[in-house]
């Protein structure tokens, strides 16, 4: 192999594609469809993740204080809470305010509370979680820490809901991995067979090349170029279609999404690279597998 | 085949003959490294074929030319491309390839047909293209398996004349044939095979 042979090998790879355009067209279409399924899933996953995280970060936590708490302890708790990284104190609700709000929410039935001789409601701090980049909010841990403080009666947050969300996301992720794995295997099979077909269609030529003393690599490289090009082409096409689809859908359905106060975003750059990289890599690996069978093909050619 | 023992010196012109199935093709394939002997050794230009790696064999083949009864030309490539293929695989420069290919085609008298496609040529012309391809590398040895099997007597003479010209340049030539036409032409040596054995040598 000399470097100067590269243009010749590249041309051979391109010629292979042109000469076997129908096979390649079918191969590329199938690959694009597979990458589209994968990409669509990724878009949904990424958006779902952002939405759910949005919901997660809008979670609030209530820290209920004991009735007989000292001013000192109350201030201690306040200081402690304001120093927590993910947490912001939304407001302090005194016993009186709590009762007033309860009355207001009961509206016409507020006279039900008239029989109370004393205020049974505790004072509380209402907290909201802020999302810090790349950091998972761990409400359980925060809760445990707050509970250790003196004067804290109880801490409540919508624990169940968050846990369920995480289970859902994990399931979605798992399904995504399985689908992606199956699709990759499918694509690999397609590329391998496409290249195998072109190898067979050039059987005669390979035989003659062996006769005049071509090395194995010289014969293999055009097929590797062919498969890799198929992968690159499919990757670019899939991304283009995915983006057009996104533009189309987001412009039409923006109304509904905006109503739900949700952003529908396209894939972040690293995912775009991922799709392109996977597609290219599968093209290369597929053709590598196909040419790897040269050993047996060689016997078959008997040259 | 068994009990085959012969030595060809550099620059010899040898006919290999005998009835169909005598082992002429097998002997050529053995020399070309397409088949490995179950026992014994084949030494070409100081290289032992029974112990050669695939890559070394590929490189050795660049010093050998092989000509077939059915020409083995690529129908989708032009005459020029067919001949140039033997140089392309060696990674020669474009200029060198063009020069050598022209030279080789001139030698077989097809300089004006280089843009034609093999199937548009006559059988004799196609075989001459195949010979041009076989000699474009200036091979040490030229092997031909029934090179005139598909050609009529006139063309046979033409082909044998070509072999003589190649031979005159110092190439060792081994032609397997049972064509009487060919065998009537004088050769330095004729080996007669039958049932996989050398029957006579003259």
């Amino acid at each position: 192999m000399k470097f100067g042979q590269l243009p010749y090998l590249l041309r051979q790879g391109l010629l292979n594609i042109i000469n076997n355009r129908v096979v390649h067209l079918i191969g590329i279409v199938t690959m694009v469809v597979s990458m589209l399924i994968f990409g669509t899933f990724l878009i949904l996953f990424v958006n779902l993740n952002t939405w759910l995280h949005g919901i997660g970060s809008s979670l609030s936590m209530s820290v209920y204080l004991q009735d007989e708490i000292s001013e000192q302890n109350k201030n201690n708790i306040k200081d402690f809470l304001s120093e927590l990284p993910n947490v912001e104190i939304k407001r302090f609700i005194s016993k009186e305010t709590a009762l007033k709000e309860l009355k207001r929410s009961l509206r016409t039935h507020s006279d039900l509370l008239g029989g109370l001789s004393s205020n049974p409601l505790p004072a509380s701090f209402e907290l909201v979680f802020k999302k810090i980049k790349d950091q998972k909010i761990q409400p359980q841990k925060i809760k445990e820490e707050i509970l250790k403080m003196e004067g804290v009666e109880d801490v409540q947050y919508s624990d169940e809901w968050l846990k369920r969300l995480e289970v859902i996301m994990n399931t979605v992720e798992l399904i995504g991995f399985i689908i992606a794995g199956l699709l990759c295997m499918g694509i690999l099979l397609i590329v391998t067979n496409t290249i195998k077909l072109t190898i067979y269609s050039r059987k005669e030529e390979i035989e003659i090349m062996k006769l005049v003393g071509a090395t194995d690599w010289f014969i293999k490289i055009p097929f590797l170029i062919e498969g890799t090009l198929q992968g690159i082409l499919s990757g670019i096409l899939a991304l283009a279609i995915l983006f057009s689809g996104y533009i189309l859908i987001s412009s039409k359905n923006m109304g509904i999404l905006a109503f739900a106060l949700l952003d529908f975003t396209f894939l972040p750059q690293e995912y775009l690279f991922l799709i392109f990289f996977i597609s290219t890599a599968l093209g290369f690996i597929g053709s590598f597998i196909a040419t790897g069978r040269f050993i047996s093909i060689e016997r078959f050619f008997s040259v | 085949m068994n009990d085959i023992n012969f030595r060809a010196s550099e620059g010899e012109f040898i006919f290999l003959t005998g009835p169909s199935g005598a082992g002429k093709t097998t002997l050529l394939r053995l020399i070309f490294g397409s088949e490995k002997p179950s026992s014994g050794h084949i030494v070409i230009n100081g290289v032992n074929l029974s112990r050669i790696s695939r890559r070394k064999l590929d490189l050795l083949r660049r010093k050998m030319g092989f000509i077939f009864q059915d020409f083995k030309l690529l129908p989708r490539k032009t005459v020029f491309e067919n001949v140039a293929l033997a140089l392309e695989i060696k990674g020669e420069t474009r200029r060198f390839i063009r020069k050598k290919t022209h030279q080789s085609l001139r030698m077989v008298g097809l300089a004006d047909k280089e843009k034609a496609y093999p199937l548009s040529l006559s059988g004799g012309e196609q075989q001459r293209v195949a010979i041009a391809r076989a000699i474009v590398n200036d091979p040490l040895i030229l092997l031909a398996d029934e090179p005139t099997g598909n050609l009529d007597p006139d063309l046979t003479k033409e082909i044998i004349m070509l072999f003589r010209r190649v031979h005159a340049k110092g190439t060792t030539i081994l032609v397997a044939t049972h064509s009487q036409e060919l065998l009537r032409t004088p050769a330095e040596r004729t080996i007669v095979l039958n049932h996989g054995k050398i029957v006579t040598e003259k």
Side-chain angles (χ1 to χ4, degrees):
Chain A
M1 255 306 291
K2 289 177 196 167
F3 187 71
Q5 285 171 309
L6 215 60
Y8 177 83
L9 295 172
L10 254 167
R11 213 182 53 201
Q12 288 303 311
L14 282 172
L15 275 176
N16 281 356
I17 293 184
I18 294 162
N19 287 335
N20 299 287
R21 50 195 171 277
V22 178
V23 174
H24 271 283
L25 203 70
I26 295 168
I28 287 176
V29 166
T30 338
M31 259 182 100
V32 166
V33 170
S34 309
M35 292 317 285
L36 277 180
I37 296 172
F38 181 59
T40 311
F41 191 85
L42 261 183
I43 289 190
L44 290 180
F45 180 77
V46 165
N47 278 294
L48 202 64
N49 212 3
T50 338
W51 296 340
L52 292 183
H53 265 277
I55 295 169
S57 61
S58 69
L59 272 181
S60 61
M61 184 182 259
S62 294
V63 179
Y64 296 104
L65 306 177
Q66 288 166 354
D67 279 355
E68 59 276 14
I69 190 169
S70 66
E71 199 63 27
Q72 173 70 34
N73 278 344
K74 195 174 126 187
N75 283 334
N76 280 351
I77 293 170
K78 194 179 172 185
D79 289 344
F80 176 76
L81 291 177
S82 52
E83 268 162 39
L84 286 172
N86 300 82
V87 168
E88 203 175 314
I89 300 175
K90 201 172 156 202
R91 60 185 182 142
F92 173 73
I93 305 168
S94 67
K95 284 175 76 77
E96 293 74 38
T97 325
L99 190 63
K100 242 187 261 166
E101 280 184 7
L102 184 63
K103 271 183 183 163
R104 202 182 305 142
S105 62
L106 287 173
R107 283 184 196 181
T108 50
H109 305 289
S110 60
D111 52 320
L112 282 172
L113 299 169
L116 291 170
S117 52
S118 65
N119 183 354
L121 298 175
S124 63
F125 283 106
E126 219 176 273
L127 312 176
V128 283
F129 293 106
K130 319 178 273 198
K131 209 185 152 216
I132 292 176
K133 212 178 166 231
D134 300 328
Q135 210 175 316
K136 240 184 167 176
I137 297 165
Q138 292 169 301
Q140 186 57 39
K141 234 172 136 184
I142 295 172
K143 178 183 172 176
E144 276 162 22
E145 272 180 66
I146 298 172
L147 272 176
K148 280 185 214 149
M149 301 288 296
E150 212 172 311
V152 174
E153 171 92 42
D154 197 9
V155 176
Q156 277 183 2
Y157 70 98
S158 28
D159 182 28
E160 301 269 296
W161 163 233
L162 206 71
K163 269 189 186 153
R164 213 169 294 162
L165 268 187
E166 239 153 58
V167 171
I168 291 172
M169 282 317 286
N170 287 343
T171 318
V172 170
E173 213 168 323
L174 185 72
I175 293 171
F177 269 122
I178 294 171
I179 292 177
L182 288 174
L183 283 175
C184 283
M185 270 160 60
I187 290 175
L188 214 56
L189 221 73
I190 293 161
V191 179
T192 309
N193 282 306
T194 311
I195 302 300
K196 251 164 60 182
L197 276 174
T198 64
I199 289 175
Y200 279 107
S201 80
R202 291 200 5 174
K203 201 183 112 198
E204 226 189 342
E205 196 172 341
I206 294 171
E207 189 181 343
I208 289 167
M209 279 165 79
K210 292 304 293 177
L211 281 176
V212 293
T215 55
D216 282 355
W217 279 109
F218 188 84
I219 293 169
K220 281 181 186 183
I221 286 171
F223 295 112
L224 295 181
I225 291 172
E226 195 182 342
T228 313
L229 274 179
Q230 192 184 339
I232 291 174
L233 264 168
S234 305
I236 292 173
L237 265 172
L239 287 180
I241 296 173
L242 213 56
F243 189 68
S244 326
Y246 163 75
I247 295 285
L248 205 75
I249 289 171
S250 61
S251 65
K252 277 204 175 145
N253 276 356
M254 224 37 200
I256 301 167
L257 289 164
F259 181 72
L261 285 172
L262 295 169
D263 276 334
F264 184 55
T265 57
F266 195 53
L267 291 171
Q269 228 171 34
E270 53 264 36
Y271 284 96
L272 299 181
F273 279 124
L274 183 76
I275 290 181
F276 183 72
F277 175 77
I278 289 179
S279 181
T280 309
L282 287 175
F284 177 77
I285 296 169
S287 48
F288 198 81
I289 295 172
T291 54
R293 304 202 174 140
F294 254 116
I295 319 293
S296 54
I297 289 168
E298 220 168 72
R299 300 245 163 81
F300 168 68
F301 285 147
S302 69
V303 286
Chain B
M1 303 189 74
N2 60 70
D3 205 15
I4 301 281
N5 241 317
F6 78 97
R7 167 188 288 273
S9 326
E10 214 182 313
E12 260 194 296
F13 196 126
I14 303 171
F15 278 126
L16 207 58
T17 188
S20 299
K24 301 187 293 288
T25 301
T26 310
L27 185 58
L28 288 184
R29 287 173 60 83
L30 282 165
I31 295 168
F32 198 59
S34 297
E35 264 165 61
K36 285 204 187 293
S38 46
S39 66
H41 295 290
I42 297 159
V43 181
I44 288 161
N45 199 28
V47 182
N48 191 335
L49 281 193
S50 36
R51 270 183 264 143
I52 198 169
S53 71
R54 177 78 231 183
R55 195 184 147 70
K56 287 256 175 63
L57 178 64
D58 289 333
L59 298 180
L60 182 68
R61 278 182 180 177
R62 297 178 181 180
K63 293 176 188 158
M64 295 196 253
F66 207 128
I67 293 159
F68 299 87
Q69 179 172 0
D70 58 353
F71 323 133
K72 293 215 189 289
L73 299 173
L74 292 167
R76 277 200 298 223
K77 287 190 189 288
T78 63
V79 165
F80 180 90
E81 287 168 334
N82 265 288
V83 176
L85 184 71
L87 297 168
E88 297 275 13
I89 58 127
K90 286 169 77 181
E92 303 288 5
T93 63
R94 211 118 285 283
R95 255 180 63 195
F96 182 81
I97 291 175
R98 204 170 301 136
K99 198 184 104 198
K100 287 296 282 185
T101 306
H102 282 314
Q103 229 173 52
S104 193
L105 281 170
R106 251 200 316 278
M107 173 118 177
V108 300
L110 287 174
D112 54 333
K113 291 274 168 71
E114 63 174 49
K115 286 203 178 73
Y117 285 88
L119 292 180
S120 70
L121 303 177
S122 71
E125 284 170 327
Q126 286 186 51
Q127 192 58 299
R128 273 148 64 197
V129 176
I131 293 171
R133 182 182 62 198
I135 61 172
V136 75
N137 270 327
D138 300 318
L140 297 169
I141 307 169
L142 190 65
L143 304 168
D145 191 5
E146 295 288 0
T148 58
N150 281 348
L151 306 176
D152 56 44
D154 279 353
L155 291 170
T156 300
K157 257 180 222 153
E158 208 177 278
I159 297 294
I160 205 72
M161 290 270 285
L162 250 175
F163 282 148
R164 296 245 171 257
R165 282 170 68 187
V166 176
H167 180 230
K169 286 175 75 182
T171 303
T172 310
I173 297 184
L174 210 68
V175 181
T177 184
H178 54 244
S179 149
Q180 291 308 310
E181 195 74 37
L182 266 186
L183 291 170
R184 263 201 296 277
T185 65
E188 286 169 22
R189 203 166 155 199
T190 303
I191 296 172
V192 184
L193 285 172
N194 202 359
H195 295 302
K197 285 184 182 175
I198 293 178
V199 184
T200 45
E201 232 193 300
K202 53 184 174 182

